[in-house]
Amino acid sequence: MTNHPRGTGTTPSPAPPAGTGGTAAPLTQLIRAALDRLRAFDRRRPRVWDAALTAFWAVAAVLDYTSGGWRTVARDVTAPEPLVLLMSLWFTLPLLWRRTHPLAVLLLMTPAAIVNIWTGAVVQAALLQLIPVFQIVLRSSFRTVGAAALLFVTPVLAGGVRIPSSWGQEVVSYVWGLLSVVLLGIAVRTRREYTEALVERAHRLEHERDQQARLAAAAERTRIAREMHDIIGHNLSVITGLADGGAYAARKDPERAGQALEAIGTTSRQALSELRRLLGVLRDDHPDAERAPQPTLDELAPLIERVRRAGLPVRLELHGEPPPPALTPGLQLTVYRVVQEALTNTLKHATAPRADRAPLSATVTLTYTRTHLDARITDTGTGAGPSARAEETPLPAQGIMGMRERATLYDGTLEAGPLPNHGGWQIRLRLPLEDTRP
C-alpha cells in the first residue's frame, strides 16, 4: 500500500473507460471510432476525400487494364485496348463530382456504358455507376432515383438484346447490384433523416428547457421580491410607528417609551430572522438553510398585535367556520400577506380623521362560506389619495398589484378603494375554497 503524497490513504488506480469492463475496447467500438474520424475528416476537407476516392478507383481500373483482368469476363477479347483504357478512365474520373452533381456524372457515364456493352469488352469499372446512383438515392426525390435507375439499366438491357447469352450473367448481376445499392441508399437515408430529426428534437427540447428555466427564474424573482416587500415593508412600518410613539411617550411616560423600544427590538429581530430565512434558501453554499413554515391564518393574531403596539387599533372579526381541508397553506399565506400589506398601507399612508370623529382604526373581517373565503380590511383614515394607497412604489409586483397577483394565483379577486359615503379605505379579497374550485 502506497501512502498518498498529501495525506493518508492509497493512490487510486486509473478507472477503466466506461462500458469496457477494464478490458480492451471491442472491435465494434474501434470501427466506430475510425468511421467517426473519417467522417470528421470528410467534413473538414470534402474535396480531398473525393480526390482520394477518385484516384483509388482510377488506379484500380488502370491496373485491371494493364494486367489483362478485363479479358477474363469480356464477351469479346478482341476489343481495342486503347478503347478499353479510355472506358476505364471514363468510368472513374467523373467520380470527383459524385456528391455535388451525381445525376450529371451518371449521364456522363452512360455513353461509356453503351460502348462497353456494345463492344463486348464488359470492363469491371462499369459497376462504378452504382456510386452516383447511391448518392442520388441519398439526396434526390424518388422520381430522380427512378430516372437514374433507368439510365443504369438501359445499356445493360440493350446489351442483353444484342447478346442474348448475357442475360444470365451481366444483366441479372447488374440489376441485382442496382437493387442492392438502392435499398442500401434508402436505409442510409432513412437512418440519417431519423438521426437529424432526433438532433433537431433534442435542440428544440433544449431550447424549450432554457425558456422554461428563464420563465421559472423570472417567476421566482417576482415571488422573492413580493415576499421581501411584504416582510421588510410591514416590519419597517411597525418600527416607524413604534419609534414615533416612543418619542412622544419619552417626554411624558418613560416606562411607555421603554416598552416601545423593547417592541422595536422584538420586531427588528423578527424581521431580520425572516429575511435571513428568505435569503438563506437562495444560497447555493448553504443547502441546510433554515426553512421555517410560511405564515398561516393562525399567525393573524400576532400580526394584529404587532400593529396595535405600533399605534394602530385593529379589530379582528370572524364569521362562519373555516373548512380545514379547503384551506391549503398557499391560500392561507395569500390571506395573511394581503392583510399584512393592507395594514402596512394604513400605517404608512392613512392619517387620523377629523377631530369630531373617532380616532384612526382598522378592522379585519374574515367571512367563511361554503364556497368562498372573504377578507375585508377597512380603516377610518383620511388624507392619502387612491394613488398613494394603491401603489406606494413604482416597482412592479408590490402594493395593490402584488396583492392582486396573489389573489389571481388562487382564482380569486381583489378590490381596493375608498369606502362609500364616508372617509376611509377598504381592501376586499375573495378566494374560492379548494374543494369548490373547478
Side-chain angles (χ1 to χ4, degrees):
M1 179 180 294
T2 305
N3 289 335
H4 195 277
R6 297 190 63 180
T8 60
T10 59
T11 304
S13 58
T20 60
T23 60
L27 182 60
T28 55
Q29 292 187 6
L30 296 176
I31 295 175
R32 182 179 300 174
L35 290 176
D36 290 340
R37 285 193 293 269
L38 283 176
R39 292 191 188 100
F41 177 79
D42 187 22
R43 285 192 296 268
R44 291 193 305 268
R45 291 180 172 81
R47 303 303 298 175
V48 174
W49 178 254
D50 290 342
L53 182 66
T54 302
F56 171 80
W57 289 115
V59 170
V62 171
L63 288 177
D64 181 65
Y65 162 75
T66 56
S67 65
W70 63 277
R71 291 189 173 89
T72 59
V73 295
R75 290 291 179 179
D76 187 1
V77 295
T78 63
E81 293 187 358
L83 182 61
V84 174
L85 178 61
L86 177 62
M87 288 189 297
S88 299
L89 297 176
W90 201 335
F91 283 122
T92 55
L93 295 181
L95 293 177
L96 186 63
W97 299 276
R98 64 184 176 87
R99 288 193 289 191
T100 56
H101 303 89
L103 187 59
V105 169
L106 187 60
L107 282 171
L108 188 61
M109 291 180 174
T110 300
I114 295 174
V115 174
N116 180 46
I117 294 294
W118 201 261
T119 59
V122 194
V123 295
Q124 299 298 311
L127 291 175
L128 295 177
Q129 295 176 95
L130 294 173
I131 295 178
V133 170
F134 179 76
Q135 296 296 327
I136 292 172
V137 175
L138 285 182
R139 294 174 171 83
S140 302
S141 63
F142 287 108
R143 180 177 298 180
T144 306
V145 172
L150 186 61
L151 282 175
F152 180 81
V153 300
T154 297
V156 179
L157 295 177
V161 171
R162 182 175 182 272
I163 309 175
S165 60
S166 64
W167 278 93
Q169 184 176 357
E170 285 86 2
V171 176
V172 174
S173 61
Y174 272 61
V175 171
W176 273 112
L178 174 65
L179 291 176
S180 301
V181 168
V182 169
L183 292 177
L184 177 62
I186 291 175
V188 173
R189 179 173 180 170
T190 303
R191 175 72 176 180
R192 181 179 297 177
E193 292 175 351
Y194 177 71
T195 304
E196 291 175 353
L198 289 180
V199 172
E200 181 182 358
R201 182 172 182 269
H203 289 165
R204 185 172 64 254
L205 291 176
E206 183 178 0
H207 181 66
E208 293 177 356
R209 180 200 63 191
D210 294 341
Q211 284 186 330
Q212 292 294 331
R214 287 193 292 269
L215 291 175
E220 186 65 12
R221 285 195 298 269
T222 302
R223 187 192 68 82
I224 293 170
R226 186 188 299 120
E227 291 294 326
M228 293 185 68
H229 169 266
D230 292 341
I231 293 171
I232 297 175
H234 169 75
N235 287 286
L236 286 181
S237 298
V238 172
I239 290 171
T240 301
L242 290 170
D244 293 341
Y248 176 78
R251 294 190 294 269
K252 298 182 177 182
D253 190 350
E255 183 178 352
R256 293 289 300 274
Q259 293 176 355
L261 291 176
E262 182 180 351
I264 289 174
T266 302
T267 304
S268 300
R269 284 190 292 271
Q270 181 182 359
L272 184 60
S273 175
E274 291 186 16
L275 189 60
R276 281 176 176 171
R277 174 179 57 80
L278 182 63
L279 296 179
V281 174
L282 304 178
R283 290 184 176 179
D284 293 334
D285 55 343
H286 287 77
D288 298 326
E290 179 184 359
R291 290 172 171 82
Q294 292 282 12
T296 63
L297 293 182
D298 294 334
E299 306 295 326
L300 276 182
L303 170 67
I304 291 175
E305 181 61 30
R306 289 195 300 270
V307 176
R308 287 172 181 161
R309 286 190 293 176
L312 175 64
V314 182
R315 185 174 72 255
L316 177 61
E317 298 179 357
L318 300 176
H319 301 284
E321 291 294 331
L327 296 179
T328 62
L331 189 144
Q332 296 186 56
L333 175 64
T334 298
V335 177
Y336 179 91
R337 292 302 188 197
V338 168
V339 173
Q340 182 186 55
E341 178 64 20
L343 295 178
T344 300
N345 286 344
T346 300
L347 284 171
K348 294 169 66 175
H349 301 297
T351 58
R354 298 189 308 269
D356 59 343
R357 297 178 56 186
L360 175 64
S361 63
T363 302
V364 177
T365 304
L366 296 183
T367 303
Y368 296 96
T369 66
R370 189 177 59 85
T371 58
H372 288 81
L373 166 60
D374 295 323
R376 187 169 181 259
I377 305 96
T378 61
D379 63 61
T380 60
T382 61
S387 61
R389 292 286 191 105
E391 195 62 58
E392 68 276 9
T393 175
L395 292 178
Q398 298 182 13
I400 297 297
M401 184 183 299
M403 289 191 281
R404 284 202 175 101
E405 288 181 355
R406 289 185 181 276
T408 303
L409 288 176
Y410 292 91
D411 299 327
T413 59
L414 185 135
E415 300 176 358
L419 286 169
N421 303 326
H422 56 82
W425 189 267
Q426 69 172 347
I427 300 290
R428 301 192 64 176
L429 172 67
R430 185 175 178 83
L431 294 174
L433 299 180
E434 290 294 317
D435 290 345
T436 62
R437 291 174 66 186

